[in-house]
Amino acid sequence: MIFLIIGQESHFVIIDFLYSNFNPVKMKAVYFFVIFLFCASYLEAQIPVKADTIKPAEGNVKKQLKDIKDTKKELNKDSIGNQPKASERIDTTIQNKYGDLLRDDPEYNKKYQLWKPAVEIVGLNAILNIVDRYALKLAFAKTDFRTWNYTLHAGWPWGSGWKWDSDRFGNNFLFHPLFGSQYYNAARTQGYNYYSSFAFSLGGAYMWKIFGENGMPEREDLINTSISGAFFGEIFYRLSSNILDDRTRGTERVFREIAAGLINPVRGFNRLLQGKSFRVTNKEVYEKNPLNVSFYAGIRRINDSYRYVLGKGNNNLIINAQFDYGNPFEDRTRKPFDFFKLRVDLNFGVGRKYVDNITGYGILFGKNLHLGKMSILVGGFHYYDYLDTKSFELSTIGFGGGLFTKLPITKTSDLYTNIHLVLVPFAGNSTQTGPDTSQ
C-alpha cells in the first residue's frame, strides 16, 4: 500500500491505493493524477485579504498599522470613474470601495438591552435638572410631584395643553438640538440604528418637557431636540467613528479617545463603561467613510452706514469649518448619513453671537446611477439651517430630494452639480427689529 500526503499550509491531498496486481499503464495514470494534485495544491485561491488586520506574530504592530494605512491610501484613490477601482484586496460584501467597513462590526459593537440606553437618558435628564436647579438657579427647573401632575395632564403636543414659547433663539434652535444629540447617542453607541436611536431622542425630549420643567410644555423644544438632535447625533457618531481606532496603542490611542469624547461625550462615557476605551483589536471594527475637513479664516467688517462701501465699522474675526463626509458617487447601498455636508461659521466680535450660522444636510436614502460618463446620486435628505447674525435670526428643519451629478470634462476637471427641492415643515425666526447681539 502506498500512502501519500501532499500539502501546502492548510491544503492537503491524501492518496491511498493498493498496488497488488501491478499494471504499468494504470500506474502511469496514477502518477499523472498525483502530480496534478501536487501542483494544484500550490495554486492560490482568490480569497480577499482580510481588511485592516494586524498579525502580532509578524512583527512590529505599529509598523503594520502604518503600512496598512499607507497601502489603503495608495490603492484606494478615486479614479476617473469617481471612485476607487475594483480590487481583489477588498471584500465588497463587508467593505466599501475604500477598504473600510460598510457597517460597525457586530462582534465588537453589540446591541445592548433596551433598558440600558433608557436608564442613561433618565440620568442625562436628572443631571441637567440638578445643574439648572441648583447651580444655575433657574426657576423652571424646580419640579416636584405637584408640577409632574400638571405636566402629565398636558395632553398631546398638538393639543391646548402645550404652547409655542418665546425663549432665546440660540437656546431653542441650537442648544436643544445639541443636547438631543446626546439622547440619540445614548442608543446609537449601544448598537441601535439611526431610526431606533431617533425614537430614544424623541423619548428623552418628551421626558424632559414633562419631568424636567414645571411650566406648560413647549412644542418647538420637543421638535428641535428630537429631529435636529438626530441630525447632529448621527453626524457626531460618524465623525467620532472616523477618529477612533481600537488597533492603536499608547499616546495615539489616548488622543483619539479624547478627541472622540469631545465630539461625542456620551460615546466617550459609554466606551469607558463598556471597556472599549482600553481594549485592543487586531482589525478595524468601526464603519468609516472618506472625510474632508476644510478650515477658512478672515476678517469681516460691517459698515455702520449703508452709504459707503468702505465706511466705518467694527472688524470681526470669522472662522469657517466645513465637513464633507462620504463619496456621493460611490456605487453602494445607501444608509442614513453615509453622505453628509456640514458647514459652521464662527464670528468673534459681535456681542455674544459666536455661532454665526450652521447649515448642512445628510442623506436618508438614495441610489447611485450612471448615464454614460456621468455619475449620479438621487435621494431623500434631511436639512438643517441655523443663521444667527447681527441682522436677523432664522432656523429651519427641512426634508426633500437631492440630485448630485459629476461629469468628467477633461483629465483634470469635472463638472459637479447638485439640485435640491426641500419642504420646510418647521422653522423659526426672531420678530425683533434692529440688531440684536445680546445672546
Side-chain angles (χ1 to χ4, degrees), residues 333-345:
T333 300
R334 289 292 166 183
K335 297 189 304 180
F337 283 76
D338 62 22
F339 165 57
F340 71 76
K341 185 184 293 287
L342 182 71
R343 175 187 170 116
V344 180
D345 280 338

Side-chain angles (χ1 to χ4, degrees), residues 28-80:
K28 287 182 179 179
V30 171
Y31 289 147
F32 177 79
F33 181 65
V34 170
I35 293 172
F36 173 78
L37 291 178
F38 180 81
C39 294
S41 68
Y42 283 86
L43 295 176
E44 292 290 337
Q46 292 186 354
I47 300 173
V49 177
K50 289 186 178 180
D52 304 320
T53 301
I54 293 173
K55 297 179 181 178
E58 293 187 2
N60 188 291
V61 171
K62 288 186 177 181
K63 185 178 184 304
Q64 287 188 54
L65 182 56
K66 182 180 182 300
D67 291 342
I68 287 172
K69 293 181 177 180
D70 290 343
T71 300
K72 284 175 63 176
K73 288 180 182 178
E74 183 63 29
L75 294 179
N76 301 326
K77 294 178 180 178
D78 287 353
S79 66
I80 295 177

Side-chain angles (χ1 to χ4, degrees), residues 100-137:
D100 295 310
L101 294 179
L102 287 169
R103 59 190 62 85
D104 293 340
D105 190 331
E107 180 182 354
Y108 296 89
N109 299 279
K110 69 177 185 179
K111 185 176 182 178
Y112 289 82
Q113 293 176 309
L114 190 71
W115 65 267
K116 290 190 175 182
V119 168
E120 187 165 35
I121 288 173
V122 172
L124 284 170
N125 279 332
I127 292 171
L128 181 60
N129 180 267
I130 290 171
V131 171
D132 285 347
R133 183 171 184 171
Y134 297 104
L136 302 180
K137 307 294 184 181

Side-chain angles (χ1 to χ4, degrees), residues 234-252:
E234 185 64 18
I235 288 177
F236 294 157
Y237 182 80
R238 288 179 173 273
L239 290 178
S240 59
S241 287
N242 265 41
I243 294 172
L244 291 170
D245 190 340
D246 288 4
R247 299 168 297 176
T248 58
R249 297 168 169 83
T251 303
E252 179 184 351

